[in-house]
Amino acid sequence: EDQVTQSPEALRLQEGESSSLNCSYTVSGLRGLFWYRQDPGKGPEFLFTLYSAGEEKEKERLKATLTKKESFLHITAPKPEDSATYLCAVQPISSGSARQLTFGSGTQLTVLP
Amino acid sequence: DSGVTQTPKHLITATGQRVTLRCSPRSGDLSVYWYQQSLDQGLQFLIQYYNGEERAKGNILERFSAQQFPDLHSELNLSSLELGDSALYFCASSATGTSNEQFFGPGTRLTVL
């Protein structure tokens, strides 16, 4: 069974204090790993897709990396507006022509001014 | 704004009742996915439709059903509602059956009293 574990569950940072969020996954074969940002009461907002170990993607203060067993979301010099829950999801090769995602429980990030 | 629309935003109903949630995908997207998000379960995949046909089923209860219409909008029907069905229900869409990125709507918050 596919599993996604995110850590920490919650993270409080001071503005400008860089850190990383972790996503560990167990899947028979990985088609893609996805990062989403979710604000309270809103739908998840797509951030990145990673397909193979060693791949990196960046967007503003966020950088996502992928290894064979985990992914990291690095946040550089965060601002209060980066506060949100960050969700990691995997899409297994075994899903075939279907493309459903298996999500982790998320990391709730709070950036204090 | 992801381009995915969902109605209604909020729904309050009683146990035993039936409700219908509606989703319009992004223009041109053929795949629609339904997810349920509750506090204790996180985001769970329910069902996927591609161009009017069911493509994958996840943890969807027999009391729940969905369909995708010729204009590609989708409806999720929830019947014999129980207190535990209270949750956020999200619809997501992707460009084709093989596209990996899913874009989420704003969700429908269902409260069963």
Side-chain angles (χ1 to χ4, degrees):
Chain A
E1 185 182 328
D2 304 325
Q3 280 199 318
V4 181
T5 304
Q6 291 188 246
S7 61
E9 288 187 14
L11 181 63
R12 289 166 68 92
L13 299 173
Q14 289 294 135
E15 184 171 2
E17 180 186 2
S18 301
S19 188
S20 293
L21 314 182
N22 178 263
C23 170
S24 298
Y25 62 91
T26 304
V27 65
S28 53
L30 182 69
R31 172 176 282 120
L33 185 140
F34 302 79
W35 283 98
Y36 285 84
R37 168 196 169 123
Q38 187 175 26
D39 293 303
K42 303 252 178 106
E45 175 190 344
F46 171 75
L47 294 174
F48 303 109
T49 311
L50 301 166
Y51 292 103
S52 55
E55 189 175 359
E56 297 183 352
K57 287 198 177 165
E58 284 189 68
K59 179 181 178 179
E60 296 180 359
R61 295 177 292 282
L62 301 176
K63 181 167 119 176
T65 62
L66 181 65
T67 73
K68 287 190 176 179
K69 292 187 177 181
E70 55 193 349
S71 176
F72 295 93
L73 184 66
H74 308 277
I75 303 177
T76 302
K79 299 182 177 182
E81 54 261 42
D82 294 322
S83 298
T85 295
Y86 290 85
L87 298 167
C88 171
V90 296
Q91 193 175 71
I93 291 174
S94 60
S95 63
S97 58
R99 291 291 187 272
Q100 70 267 31
L101 300 175
T102 298
F103 280 86
S105 53
T107 293
Q108 186 174 2
L109 173 67
T110 304
V111 182
L112 303 169
Chain B
D1 185 354
S2 67
V4 178
T5 61
Q6 289 187 249
T7 56
K9 288 189 74 171
H10 302 279
L11 203 47
I12 302 174
T13 188
T15 54
Q17 294 299 304
R18 173 190 169 94
V19 297
T20 298
L21 282 52
R22 182 188 169 106
C23 166
S24 292
R26 296 185 315 162
S27 177
D29 284 0
L30 298 179
S31 267
V32 169
Y33 309 77
W34 286 97
Y35 291 84
Q36 179 192 58
Q37 187 174 41
S38 57
L39 283 173
D40 56 343
Q41 294 284 334
L43 257 172
Q44 301 276 314
F45 168 71
L46 296 178
I47 196 164
Q48 178 198 358
Y49 277 82
Y50 173 72
N51 203 21
E53 295 192 0
E54 181 185 304
R55 180 156 279 189
K57 259 185 176 179
N59 300 320
I60 188 166
L61 299 171
E62 285 194 14
R63 301 183 285 108
F64 296 1
S65 65
Q67 54 186 324
Q68 187 179 27
F69 294 86
D71 67 352
L72 300 176
H73 90 271
S74 178
E75 293 181 356
L76 180 67
N77 301 296
L78 315 176
S79 61
S80 303
L81 284 167
E82 302 175 359
L83 296 177
D85 298 326
S86 296
L88 271 165
Y89 291 84
F90 289 106
C91 167
S93 73
S94 63
T96 70
T98 57
S99 175
N100 293 324
E101 286 82 19
Q102 295 177 23
F103 296 89
F104 283 75
T108 293
R109 181 176 293 280
L110 173 67
T111 302
V112 182
L113 301 175

